[in-house]
Amino acid sequence: MDPARAVAVFGGTFNPVHYGHLRSAIELVEHLQLHHLDLMPCAQPVHREQPGCSAEHRAAMVELAVAGEPRLGCDRRELARGGLSYSYDSLVDIRQDIGPQRGLCLVMGCDALQNIASWHRWRELLDIAHVIVIARPGWTLPDEGVVAHWLQSHRCDAPAQLHRQASGLVHVEELRPLAISSTEIRSLLQLGQSVRYLLPEPVLDYIDQHGLYRQKESSA
Ligand code: ATP
């Protein structure tokens, strides 16, 4: 590992992973010159219902989606830990793995940012990592309230700084907008419609092989 370059982790439910996630991930690696970025499926989301599709299936789909792209990976630590998946706990764990000096970035979309003040130990996230916010179609940054203030106080517009310090900055990155969501993919599948070209073909094959999403609230 080149110790000068920051690494990133992109948490989510990935139910299922799609090109909105994947294109954002690779563009972030390139725009910010990250060493690598791992998608990190949660075991049990904190702020939403348990997905009908198991964590094991969701992680398997992420692994298929990133296979062949060495700068992207799948981090399974939240599955291994089990229980509610707090990003704070995962970042503490990752920080232990990579040491105290290296830039570590937690990636999230604007929709996730809107709720960040309800996250477990949210103010301490910046003690361990930077936060990268992806501008997402249909969402804007908060312009008042506690999150807006937090954003303004830590905002960094010079991405090179993400590599020079280990944690403490919030950076907003404008990426190619792709209005794709897992919710829409699940709805299309339940309606028996095609989701081809919204997600990678091996993920689609996996969904077909395992009969995921086609029945209402699959028990998979
Ligand atoms: P759902 O529709 O079930 O809420 P989702 O498509 O938003 O799912 P998640 O797994 O919940 O996917 O999202 C993980 C992270 O990816 C979140 O931070 C979310 O903001 C971001 N994200 C999801 N879709 C996109 C997209 N099309 N472009 C950029 N970021 C995205």
Side-chain angles (χ1 to χ4, degrees):
M1 277 210 288
D2 173 356
R5 282 195 289 147
V7 299
V9 64
F10 187 9
T13 315
F14 303 115
N15 185 31
V17 65
H18 53 67
Y19 282 134
H21 302 127
L22 295 163
R23 190 63 217 168
S24 298
I26 201 70
E27 287 190 9
L28 272 182
V29 167
E30 295 197 331
H31 293 191
L32 303 179
Q33 305 204 332
L34 299 170
H35 184 273
H36 68 266
L37 180 153
D38 285 338
L39 284 75
M40 181 170 65
C42 63
Q44 205 176 323
V46 179
H47 294 293
R48 61 200 299 175
E49 270 179 39
Q50 180 67 6
C53 178
S54 71
E56 198 45 59
H57 279 317
R58 291 183 284 106
M61 291 187 278
V62 169
E63 275 163 358
L64 287 169
V66 299
E69 173 44 72
R71 294 168 297 173
L72 300 183
C74 175
D75 186 327
R76 282 176 161 263
R77 77 185 65 226
E78 293 192 342
L79 273 68
R81 201 166 67 232
L84 287 176
S85 300
Y86 293 114
S87 299
Y88 176 84
D89 295 343
S90 306
L91 291 177
V92 168
D93 233 44
I94 298 171
R95 178 53 75 198
Q96 267 167 9
D97 289 352
I98 66 172
Q101 309 275 336
R102 189 165 204 177
L104 170 62
C105 305
L106 173 68
V107 178
M108 64 184 72
C110 279
D111 52 329
L113 177 76
Q114 304 279 346
N115 299 323
I116 196 170
S118 63
W119 289 23
H120 178 58
R121 303 179 77 160
W122 75 283
R123 287 191 184 276
E124 292 163 71
L125 295 173
L126 289 181
D127 296 339
I128 313 168
H130 306 300
V131 169
I132 309 291
V133 181
I134 307 170
R136 190 172 174 190
W139 293 88
T140 50
L141 294 174
D143 56 7
E144 57 182 26
V146 67
V147 177
H149 183 255
W150 172 84
L151 186 63
Q152 260 152 28
S153 351
H154 299 284
R155 190 151 176 180
C156 146
D157 292 321
Q161 203 53 31
L162 301 169
H163 304 278
R164 292 198 198 107
Q165 69 187 71
S167 59
L169 305 172
V170 183
H171 176 73
V172 181
E173 190 67 21
E174 300 259 347
L175 301 173
R176 177 191 309 275
L178 284 177
I180 304 174
S181 73
S182 302
T183 302
E184 191 191 356
I185 290 174
R186 294 194 302 275
S187 307
L188 289 169
L189 287 166
Q190 280 180 9
L191 292 168
Q193 293 181 10
S194 173
V195 294
R196 177 154 285 147
Y197 314 129
L198 295 174
L199 36 68
E201 205 72 7
V203 175
L204 189 49
D205 291 343
Y206 187 95
I207 290 172
D208 288 341
Q209 276 159 20
H210 295 270
L212 304 181
Y213 305 117
R214 301 225 187 248
Q215 294 98 26
K216 260 224 169 311
E217 277 318 5
S218 143
S219 57

